[in-house]
Amino acid sequence: MLSVTVCYYGGKDRIQASAKVTGDSADRLNKLIETAPAGRNPVRPPQSCDASTDTPHPDAVLLTGNRTVRVRFSTCTGRGMDDGARTAQTTRSIVQAIMAPIHTGYSVSGDLPA
């Protein structure tokens, strides 16, 4: 059975919360990640976002099988997912699926595709 461990960092260097996702929810999250558009999300324009406040830390890290996926969605630059072999865009659906089991607040930088 597929499971996904979601570790929420919120752009900090320490884990803030975590949850294990199993069953249909894990399958859905994995499918969203696998079918996400290739490449990173566009960099936000300087007039709408201060990139000097970006941190190098991911918002979330997903552990599934032998794969670790780093996810950034609250920054001006570097938004998207990276598993070391592939980068993909972060979408609103992916962020919602990641954050639903965590039960904590979060912020998203700018518009994300559905």
Side-chain angles (χ1 to χ4, degrees), residues 6 8 17-21 25 28-29 32 60 62 73 92-106:
V6 178
Y8 176 63
S18 65
K20 187 171 188 175
V21 182
S25 295
R28 180 176 171 266
L29 179 54
L32 286 169
L62 310 177
F73 52 81
R92 278 183 277 147
S93 298
I94 291 169
V95 172
Q96 290 168 347
I98 290 169
M99 296 306 297
I102 299 294
H103 304 291
T104 188
Y106 62 95

Side-chain angles (χ1 to χ4, degrees), residues 37-57:
R40 296 255 182 216
N41 293 75
V43 173
R44 297 207 39 226
Q47 64 270 24
S48 68
C49 196
D50 182 4
S52 69
T53 62
D54 284 0
T55 71
H57 308 293

